Amino acid sequence: VQMPTIDFEEFKTLLGQEAGIDPGSIQKDQELINDLGVDSMVMVNLVSVIEEKLEKEIEQVDIDKMQTVEQAFNELILN
């Protein structure tokens, strides 16, 4: 049984939808808060969407560790 996965492009799309940003403009080195204006509410919603898509629970999310888009991807998807 293959587990569902989310690649970086799909992650950008989900982040864009939750944050109201054009996913095409999101770069992996952009800072979530300073560059994209992402707040904790957006992150909570994003985690819920990812959990649903991956059919698993994401535990112990340390939002403070996630400064950039790439760090958020690594923390939420690759862990």
Side-chain angles (χ1 to χ4, degrees):
V1 177
Q2 190 174 2
M3 294 296 292
T5 59
I6 294 176
D7 64 16
F8 189 71
E9 288 303 311
E10 187 176 2
F11 178 75
K12 287 193 332 184
T13 300
L14 297 173
L15 175 60
Q17 287 171 344
E18 290 304 320
I21 303 167
D22 171 15
S25 70
I26 297 174
Q27 304 296 317
K28 66 181 177 182
D29 60 350
Q30 284 181 305
E31 291 187 15
L32 294 167
I33 297 170
N34 296 334
D35 295 331
L36 301 176
V38 172
D39 61 19
S40 57
M41 201 62 217
V42 169
M43 291 306 291
V44 168
N45 291 339
L46 181 62
V47 168
S48 295
V49 169
I50 291 169
E51 286 179 330
E52 219 170 89
K53 282 203 171 282
L54 295 181
E55 298 172 9
K56 71 173 192 178
E57 195 171 317
I58 299 172
E59 296 177 25
Q60 301 290 318
V61 175
D62 187 354
I63 292 176
D64 296 333
K65 272 187 179 170
M66 298 183 275
Q67 302 293 310
T68 67
V69 174
E70 186 174 32
Q71 287 169 339
F73 176 74
N74 291 342
E75 186 77 14
L76 297 174
I77 307 297
L78 300 182
N79 275 347

